[in-house]
Amino acid sequence: MNNKEVVQYREDLKSRVVRIETIVERVENQLGKLNGRTTSLESWKSWMTGGMALLVIIITIAIGVS
């Protein structure tokens, strides 16, 4: 390989690395969004479970009082 081919090969590798880095950054951003959504859903699930438990307790007390 002569010097011109080596320089061209290096430039090609650099451009590929830049494209890969861009893709990785996009994937990391998407994962961040998905993690936020997952956290939100888990929080909602906890509140829903607590609400259902409270409802069961209230119904149990209401039936017991009757």
Side-chain angles (χ1 to χ4, degrees):
M1 293 181 97
N2 61 23
N3 189 30
K4 184 178 180 182
E5 291 173 340
V6 170
V7 169
Q8 190 175 22
Y9 180 75
R10 286 180 180 169
E11 290 298 321
D12 183 49
L13 283 179
K14 285 180 185 178
S15 68
R16 289 180 185 190
V17 168
V18 168
R19 284 197 309 257
I20 291 170
E21 288 174 345
T22 303
I23 291 169
V24 169
E25 287 177 12
R26 289 180 185 167
V27 168
E28 287 175 345
N29 288 337
Q30 290 296 322
L31 284 175
K33 290 177 184 177
L34 288 174
N35 285 340
R37 291 178 188 158
T38 302
T39 301
S40 175
L41 287 172
E42 288 174 351
S43 176
W44 179 83
K45 183 179 78 173
S46 296
W47 279 101
M48 182 63 85
T49 304
M52 291 173 70
L54 182 62
L55 187 61
V56 167
I57 291 170
I58 292 172
I59 291 171
T60 304
I61 291 172
I63 291 173
V65 170
S66 301

